[in-house]
Amino acid sequence: MKKFNKKKYIVMLAVLFTLLVHCNVNAEIYTPLPCVIKEQPVNILGNIGDTVNFTVDATNVKIYKWEYCSAGQSTWQELGQSFPGYDSDTLTISLTNNYRLTNKYRCKLIGYDGKILYSSSCGIYKIDMEELETPIM
């Protein structure tokens, strides 16, 4: 075990004190700003075989997590990696089945301040091709 060197210790304290006094550091406390949604995602038209996108425009976002809620349910569940953009500002949904057409979608935003903010929910309205092709008399 090394012997305590009192002289060396005093010199180190003197140097540290000198640095603190002469540096004149102005420390600022950084307070992260909360997320702010500038534009909410909107409902969209689609049909089986289509690909649709939902976008949320927000600032000060650390994490994006898109969620869905099945028709007739009240529980929101996170979407996973099989949905492109599940963790970004734009979610892409391939309409491969009717369930995706009837779900509601929203984005969970986590700000740099740690607070959670949810976008408004949005959905996909199915295009009824027969109704579009029927002439109005």
Side-chain angles (χ1 to χ4, degrees):
M1 182 180 227
K2 287 188 172 185
K3 186 178 174 187
F4 177 71
N5 187 335
K6 185 177 178 183
K7 194 176 202 180
K8 194 175 188 180
Y9 179 74
I10 291 172
V11 169
M12 285 180 8
L13 283 176
V15 169
L16 180 60
F17 179 75
T18 303
L19 287 172
L20 289 173
V21 169
H22 292 288
C23 286
N24 193 15
V25 176
N26 291 325
E28 292 183 28
I29 297 174
Y30 172 71
T31 303
L33 297 171
C35 340
V36 175
I37 295 176
K38 297 191 308 188
E39 193 170 330
Q40 297 281 356
V42 296
N43 294 326
I44 197 160
L45 294 173
N47 213 345
I48 298 295
D50 292 346
T51 299
V52 298
N53 294 309
F54 294 113
T55 299
V56 60
D57 184 10
T59 58
N60 305 315
V61 180
K62 183 177 181 182
I63 298 171
Y64 293 90
K65 294 280 185 180
W66 284 91
E67 302 176 333
Y68 74 97
C69 182
S70 300
Q73 301 296 313
S74 60
T75 304
W76 289 89
Q77 300 175 45
E78 285 187 5
L79 292 167
Q81 293 178 344
S82 60
F83 292 87
Y86 77 101
D87 60 352
S88 74
D89 64 339
T90 300
L91 173 68
T92 300
I93 303 279
S94 295
L95 302 178
T96 57
N97 59 50
N98 278 323
Y99 295 112
R100 291 185 180 175
L101 283 168
T102 59
N103 289 340
K104 288 290 184 189
Y105 300 90
R106 73 178 182 186
C107 191
K108 176 181 178 181
L109 306 129
I110 302 173
Y112 287 100
D113 62 354
K115 293 184 180 169
I116 297 172
L117 182 65
Y118 292 95
S119 72
S120 60
S121 63
C122 51
I124 304 162
Y125 290 103
K126 187 175 180 180
I127 301 170
D128 187 345
M129 296 309 287
E130 286 181 25
E131 203 173 283
L132 288 176
E133 294 172 0
T134 305
I136 300 173
M137 299 287 184

